[in-house]
Amino acid sequence: MTGRPTLVLGPLLRHVGTTGATVWVETDRPCAVEVNGVAQPTWTVHGHHYCLVVLDGLEPGSHAPYEVRLDGELVWPEPGSDYPPSRISTIDPGTPTRLLFGSCRYARPEAVAGDPKFEPDALDTYAHRMLRSDPETWPDAVLLLGDQVYADETTAETQARIAERRSLEVAPYEQVKDYEEYTWLYSESWTDPDIRWLLSTLPTAMIFDDHDVRDDWNTSEAWREDMQATTWWQERIVGGLASYWVYQHLGNLSPRELESDVLYQRVLAHDGDCGEMLDEFARAADAEADGRKGAQWSFRRDFSNSVLLMIDSRCGRILADDRRSMVSEDEFAWIVEQAEGSYDHLLIGTSLPWLLPRSFHDVESWNEMLTRGARGPRMARFAEWFRRAADLEHWAAFRDSFDALGELIARVGRGEHGGDAPATICVLSGDVHHAYVAEAHFDAPVRSSVYQLTCSPVHNYVPRAFQLGFRVAWSRAAARLTRFLLERVTKVPDQPLTWTREAGPFWGNEIATLVLDGRSAHVEIERAGRDDHGTPELTQVVSLRLS
């Protein structure tokens, strides 16, 4: 290979703390990657070359532009770029925190141009706003809460690339097959010019959801058995988890966590292609749902005097031998430990909402009981079919885990968990393709205000039937009717909390902003549309004070 190395993807500004930051890139060949004088060599996975440059010793509350050089040659900012310089803004513990969040971003705007189902990409539209606004108003980080790529719903462009490599008449047909094809999804999404600049400028924290791998991923043990019986699933899950580790998970970790991460240190020390090493890790991570030791994808981020606990509610599920839980006992113990202490706000990120419309919640809990045999084996088989058909796989469908998380939130909210009660406890979620705010109310009062904040999708569409179903589900009449019927069929266990819808449901491509300022909290949800000239713009649909 001749010529100079070039950027394939990135730079992505990932973890940023008070004194450190990480910058991720993919290059077209092995080289030295330098960011503001700090150089590190690339490492290789299945013929692709990556680097995560760690910067330390930065000033708290500082704002500094950065450059990327490959083998000494400047590659970012690109020559003649009209975009503002990418910069690293470290956390200032004494200032407010602005967090942008959402989920479910399908491909890029150009990939669905001309498709009337798709409105403007909310994150892309937000990038346009940033270009016209004062950098002092920019968010401090972006939280991407699942479905960053769609492995099971590919675009026409990706399907054409797949057809050049293998037959679309053989499973998995037009869906992605392996690590190589996963790299195409990230390239399609992250090379959008506006998104590329935004991701180079704002720190990001990411967690996967089902479409990052497959619709209904890990919904039940029976689902896993069906997938494992196919000829293609093993290659898909290994490629999905290995690529997720490279493209998303590594950047979630702080410099200190990277130093103690055994796999990452092995990759850095390895002289050669790390593909088989990552594949072995991915196979072990997937096996956790079958009751074997896996990997921890959940992580913590600190923003000023607020704590974000991002929970893996997909890969870390326990499903074998009818032991259903969202995360393993060890991982939940880690979550409990991380929630200890005193801080102003606790944020719990989970791709799947903790609080759904009450009618849906009861149906999911009811369905879990039926699949466990509460009404016999024939009804259990029907309930399993219904679970997959209706996507009954949220926290309510893992009732023990729902209750455990609720108990933890209540203890923290009462100041009974190793510190003072925070002003708010906010569960941030996506997945359900609409946005809403719900407030939890516990039988035993808590001092914290507890909210479910859901924002989805960033770039996708919502069928009319789906909208109608959720509008009905959010009604009090539906909640009362569902409860009345289930009481007479199979009683769903009582629980020590209720919740009320404070805002929503809102439809369309949306992005949410959460502002934390001392003990106060405020959320705003905006929808992407077009002005009279056809230019994408964001319109506020709700602005709500939380504390």
Side-chain angles (χ1 to χ4, degrees):
M1 185 178 292
T2 59
R4 297 173 178 174
T6 60
L7 283 177
V8 175
L9 283 180
L12 272 73
L13 181 60
R14 295 304 314 274
H15 189 284
V16 175
T18 54
T19 61
T22 63
V23 178
W24 181 97
V25 300
E26 180 181 353
T27 65
D28 68 338
R29 68 196 70 187
C31 61
V33 180
E34 180 184 335
V35 178
N36 285 7
V38 178
Q40 294 179 212
T42 57
W43 35 272
T44 304
V45 178
H46 291 302
H48 294 261
H49 312 286
Y50 309 96
C51 188
L52 186 67
V53 179
V54 177
L55 304 171
D56 211 349
L58 306 177
E59 287 293 322
S62 61
H63 308 282
Y66 70 90
E67 298 178 338
V68 178
R69 298 176 183 272
L70 304 182
D71 284 346
E73 296 290 332
L74 181 67
V75 295
W76 190 268
E78 295 178 316
S81 173
D82 293 329
Y83 289 97
S86 302
R87 68 176 195 171
I88 299 171
S89 298
T90 54
I91 292 174
D92 182 348
T95 60
T97 299
R98 296 177 59 86
L99 300 176
L100 199 66
F101 69 93
S103 79
C104 308
R105 181 174 180 267
Y106 182 73
R108 56 192 287 175
E110 292 83 352
V112 294
D115 189 333
K117 297 192 303 293
F118 285 86
E119 296 179 348
D121 182 330
L123 192 61
D124 191 86
T125 306
Y126 196 94
H128 279 271
R129 173 191 288 176
M130 286 177 59
L131 293 172
R132 304 188 303 269
S133 61
D134 184 345
E136 294 299 317
T137 67
W138 292 354
D140 296 287
V142 183
L143 313 181
L144 300 176
L145 299 168
D147 294 344
Q148 274 68 263
V149 294
Y150 281 73
D152 55 347
E153 298 178 15
T154 55
T155 64
E157 180 180 348
T158 297
Q159 291 172 26
R161 293 189 70 178
I162 293 173
E164 294 175 356
R165 186 175 186 243
R166 58 178 174 83
S167 172
L168 295 181
E169 303 302 316
V170 178
Y173 311 109
E174 74 280 359
Q175 301 181 19
V176 301
K177 178 184 180 183
D178 55 16
Y179 187 95
E180 176 62 27
E181 293 175 12
Y182 262 101
T183 69
W184 302 348
L185 299 183
Y186 288 104
S187 178
E188 182 176 56
S189 179
W190 290 356
T191 52
D192 173 279
D194 298 320
I195 294 298
R196 187 181 186 189
W197 173 77
L198 181 145
L199 295 178
S200 76
T201 303
L202 299 181
T204 48
M206 309 178 184
I207 196 69
F208 42 39
D209 199 21
D210 55 345
H211 290 288
D212 287 82
V213 175
R214 165 83 174 189
D215 187 31
D216 295 338
W217 176 28
N218 280 349
T219 191
S220 65
E221 183 179 15
W223 183 92
R224 285 183 61 81
E225 291 172 350
D226 288 347
M227 290 297 103
Q228 290 166 350
T230 67
T231 59
W232 54 269
W233 171 251
Q234 184 66 12
E235 199 168 14
R236 161 79 67 81
I237 189 62
V238 168
L241 292 180
S243 61
Y244 175 79
W245 186 88
V246 172
Y247 286 84
Q248 297 193 51
H249 179 68
L250 268 186
N252 293 328
L253 305 181
S254 68
R256 179 179 297 179
E257 289 169 325
L258 291 169
E259 289 178 358
S260 60
D261 188 283
V262 175
L263 178 59
Y264 181 59
Q265 294 305 317
R266 285 180 61 201
V267 166
L268 292 182
H270 188 70
D271 185 17
D273 196 302
C274 300
E276 181 52 41
M277 185 189 306
L278 266 291
D279 290 351
E280 179 184 357
F281 164 80
R283 284 189 285 269
D286 175 55
E288 182 168 14
D290 297 325
R292 294 186 288 275
K293 183 179 179 181
Q296 180 175 307
W297 303 105
S298 301
F299 61 92
R300 170 175 172 158
R301 282 274 185 101
D302 291 276
F303 299 99
S304 190
N305 198 34
S306 299
V307 173
L308 167 68
L309 299 181
M310 192 77 86
I311 299 177
D312 160 27
S313 52
R314 280 291 175 185
C315 190
R317 295 177 176 184
I318 303 299
L319 303 169
D321 302 322
D322 204 31
R323 294 186 298 125
R324 285 178 60 81
S325 61
M326 272 295 189
V327 296
S328 67
E329 292 181 2
D330 289 345
E331 190 155 340
F332 192 77
W334 177 87
I335 294 166
V336 170
E337 179 184 0
Q338 296 302 311
E340 294 177 352
S342 295
Y343 37 80
D344 288 329
H345 305 275
L346 174 61
L347 312 178
I348 299 175
T350 166
S351 62
L352 301 174
W354 176 55
L355 302 179
L356 290 167
R358 183 55 193 263
S359 57
F360 274 23
H361 173 93
D362 286 341
V363 167
E364 294 204 8
S365 295
W366 169 73
N367 177 266
E368 182 184 35
M369 295 177 64
L370 293 185
T371 56
R372 285 176 165 173
R375 302 283 290 184
R378 179 178 295 181
M379 183 59 75
R381 289 191 293 272
F382 168 77
E384 175 63 30
W385 170 85
F386 186 50
R387 167 189 277 163
R388 301 188 200 183
D391 287 339
L392 307 182
E393 54 179 350
H394 301 85
W395 283 86
F398 291 77
R399 182 54 190 273
D400 291 345
S401 296
F402 175 91
D403 291 345
L405 182 58
E407 182 181 350
L408 172 62
I409 289 172
R411 291 202 310 270
V412 173
R414 296 188 189 108
E416 299 171 353
H417 197 62
D420 297 331
T424 67
I425 302 172
C426 297
V427 181
L428 313 180
S429 305
D431 178 70
V432 291
H433 285 211
H434 67 289
Y436 61 91
V437 177
E439 183 173 9
H441 311 280
F442 293 83
D443 290 351
V446 300
R447 301 205 301 272
S448 304
S449 298
V450 179
Y451 292 95
Q452 170 72 61
L453 307 179
T454 302
C455 184
S456 161
V458 167
H459 186 223
N460 213 305
Y461 66 94
V462 185
R464 292 293 182 185
F466 188 98
Q467 294 186 29
L468 177 61
F470 265 106
R471 285 192 188 279
V472 172
W474 273 113
S475 69
R476 293 180 180 178
R480 288 195 296 266
L481 177 61
T482 302
R483 195 72 182 175
F484 173 80
L485 294 175
L486 296 186
E487 289 283 349
R488 281 150 180 76
V489 179
T490 302
K491 181 175 172 59
V492 176
D494 292 331
Q495 53 198 7
L497 78 156
T498 58
W499 53 97
T500 54
R501 174 169 51 95
E502 301 300 311
F506 304 110
W507 313 100
N509 291 334
E510 294 155 327
I511 198 76
T513 304
L514 179 62
V515 181
L516 308 173
D517 186 1
R519 300 283 290 181
S520 71
H522 177 268
V523 68
E524 179 181 281
I525 300 174
E526 298 176 281
R527 177 178 177 176
R530 298 186 184 278
D531 64 16
D532 294 339
H533 304 286
T535 303
E537 66 173 359
L538 291 169
T539 303
Q540 183 185 103
V541 295
V542 67
S543 179
L544 191 64
R545 184 181 178 89
L546 304 179
S547 69

